[in-house]
Amino acid sequence: MACLLEHDNNFTVAIPSYEIKNNVTYYEIHVTVGAVTWSVSHRYNDFVELHEVLIADHCIAKEMLPQKKLIGNRDPGFIEKRKVDLEAYLRVVVNYLQRAMPLVLAKFLDFDKYDITYILQNMAYKCFMDGDSFLMKSSEYTFNPLQLHAISERLQKCCFPTEVSNNQHDFSHIIDFCQKLQTVIVRGGRSIIGTSNIIYNSLPFVMTMFKSVSELHFYNIHLPNVCDFGSVRLTVGCFVINNSCIKQLTDALLCDKVHKTTESSDDVWNKLVKIDFSWNELSGIDDGILLAPNLQNLTLDGNQIRKIENIEKLPKLTYLCMSANYIVVEDCLYSQLKNIVFLNLSQNKITKLSPFAKLVNLKTLDLASNSVSEASEIRYVSCLPKLEYLVLTGNPLSTIIDYRVKVFEAFGNRAQCLCLDNERPSQKELDTAAVLRALTVVREGKTPITIPSG
């Protein structure tokens, strides 16, 4: 990331080319600060507007800017000469004003988009002018890694000169704003930023400026770039990480630690009750789950998990969502999921319902788009005393003739309390199921199978 204050001896501007759009000539300016480069395009009239401000406020000589030409200004030879003259103009102006570059010149060269100093100036000004009114309406704010990196770099340094000369640019406005936020969202990316060579997910940052955050959301972030969570572990109750390529829970919960061990009490997220680590590359539920002992709600959709494990280590967990994985359930799940009330295992590889037979606390069971094919499997979940919502659509089972009636038949007197595939039973379905159940009892001389609940 650019920082002109640190690379003032390695700073250049050039105009290597131009482009004509809709009969208007745009001159492409290349800016280099240390290892960072970017480009910005301006018309000649933009140079004129800049020059007028510099004349009035910074004593730039009027004759420095190449003169306007009314006739022949689209001639290639003239445009090429103007390009050279504008480059010379910019170099002189920058050399003269570099030490205390005015904001008008910085914005003209897009320093406010890529340079730490000017990004922080812009953020501080917005916090000073609108921070309190914003916080009165919402305690949620979205950052990008560029902004957080700028804040993190500033935390390691003394104040910048602009902070002394202008109270509106004081860094303390940013810190005060950050400390009051309750929901922090960070959106990164793997592509370059604007016209620069900076990539969002190449920028390290800390989270120590957030003192009151209760919800933390990371989207498309390179987690190893989070260098320090600070007090976030002590305050966060909801932690969301999506599309960030994490392979283990410890990659997320201990991303700022060199030695990723679950044994240190200092690394425990005691207030964390909700985790959503969907659409990553998790292959299982590792021991990192021990770092969230009070977890109540766990969502791991769209990963690469093949087995349900370590859930028994979360005694307070009641909500579990693991759709769009590769889970194949063969054994009874009671020891793992005995406390679960809401269970979503849709879009997996499940072929039978018997493993769910003893989950007596279940109220919602979503097994949509799996591979359950036999109607006889329904009996294993029909005995669950608290089950109210059952989703089986997308299984081969749901294509059987009179599928819904067969399900309601298996549930007997509890059929009227069941919402199947997000639809309550009609009276006709209940009546038909009751008749079929009565015929079964008469034909077999016994009641349907009941699965023990203990």
Side-chain angles (χ1 to χ4, degrees), residues 266-284:
D266 294 336
D267 299 329
V268 174
W269 301 66
N270 280 313
K271 287 195 174 182
L272 190 56
V273 296
K274 182 178 181 180
I275 279 178
D276 181 350
F277 291 169
S278 298
W279 309 109
N280 288 289
E281 299 176 4
L282 294 169
S283 58

Side-chain angles (χ1 to χ4, degrees), residues 97-116:
L97 297 174
Q98 179 176 334
R99 288 292 180 181
M101 183 180 291
L103 191 56
V104 63
L105 178 58
K107 287 186 174 181
F108 183 84
L109 295 174
D110 276 1
F111 272 83
D112 57 321
K113 296 180 180 178
Y114 308 114
D115 186 277
I116 290 175

Side-chain angles (χ1 to χ4, degrees), residues 409-429:
E409 177 190 357
F411 274 78
N413 294 332
R414 292 190 59 250
Q416 60 185 351
C417 302
L418 181 69
C419 181
L420 176 61
D421 299 338
N422 300 311
E423 183 180 347
R424 293 287 180 182
S426 65
Q427 189 58 50
K428 181 180 180 181
E429 288 174 330

Side-chain angles (χ1 to χ4, degrees), residues 183-234:
T183 299
V184 172
I185 301 171
V186 186
R187 294 189 181 275
R190 298 174 179 84
S191 59
I192 60 174
I193 304 172
T195 61
S196 74
N197 62 346
I198 307 169
I199 300 174
Y200 275 134
N201 285 357
S202 67
L203 301 171
F205 57 88
V206 301
M207 301 292 291
T208 54
M209 51 281 198
F210 302 110
K211 304 298 183 184
S212 305
V213 58
S214 59
E215 288 194 28
L216 180 59
H217 300 245
F218 285 153
Y219 299 108
N220 199 356
I221 296 295
H222 184 55
L223 269 295
N225 282 339
V226 183
C227 303
D228 191 348
F229 272 123
S231 61
V232 166
R233 279 189 177 84
L234 304 177

Side-chain angles (χ1 to χ4, degrees), residues 308 327-334 337 340 343-346 348 350-362 364-367 370 372 377 379-385 387 390 392 451-453:
I308 298 175
I327 296 171
V328 178
V329 178
E330 296 293 341
D331 302 321
C332 177
L333 293 171
Y334 181 74
L337 306 179
I340 299 298
L343 180 60
N344 184 342
L345 294 176
S346 59
N348 277 285
I350 296 168
T351 59
K352 54 187 179 181
L353 301 182
S354 55
F356 305 92
K358 295 184 179 182
L359 302 184
V360 294
N361 287 310
L362 272 184
T364 297
L365 177 60
D366 188 342
L367 297 175
N370 276 281
V372 182
E377 291 290 318
R379 71 187 190 274
Y380 292 109
V381 294
S382 65
C383 62
L384 300 178
L387 191 64
L390 176 63
L392 295 172
I451 307 299
S453 60

Side-chain angles (χ1 to χ4, degrees), residues 147-204:
Q147 294 169 316
L148 294 181
H149 177 73
I151 296 172
S152 303
E153 289 292 296
R154 172 60 182 81
L155 286 170
Q156 302 177 34
K157 296 177 174 62
C158 297
C159 65
F160 294 153
T162 53
E163 296 176 36
V164 177
S165 60
N166 189 337
N167 178 58
Q168 295 177 350
H169 296 159
D170 196 308
F171 182 61
S172 64
H173 301 317
I174 299 174
I175 295 302
D176 184 56
F177 180 76
C178 289
Q179 289 180 346
K180 294 176 181 177
L181 290 172
Q182 295 181 16
T183 299
V184 172
I185 301 171
V186 186
R187 294 189 181 275
R190 298 174 179 84
S191 59
I192 60 174
I193 304 172
T195 61
S196 74
N197 62 346
I198 307 169
I199 300 174
Y200 275 134
N201 285 357
S202 67
L203 301 171

Side-chain angles (χ1 to χ4, degrees), residues 309-353:
E309 56 189 342
N310 287 324
I311 298 299
E312 76 280 2
K313 298 175 181 178
L314 300 170
K316 297 182 180 180
L317 189 74
T318 58
Y319 181 107
L320 179 62
C321 189
M322 299 173 68
S323 69
N325 280 280
Y326 301 93
I327 296 171
V328 178
V329 178
E330 296 293 341
D331 302 321
C332 177
L333 293 171
Y334 181 74
S335 62
Q336 288 282 333
L337 306 179
K338 61 183 178 181
N339 296 321
I340 299 298
V341 174
F342 179 101
L343 180 60
N344 184 342
L345 294 176
S346 59
Q347 300 178 65
N348 277 285
K349 305 293 182 182
I350 296 168
T351 59
K352 54 187 179 181
L353 301 182

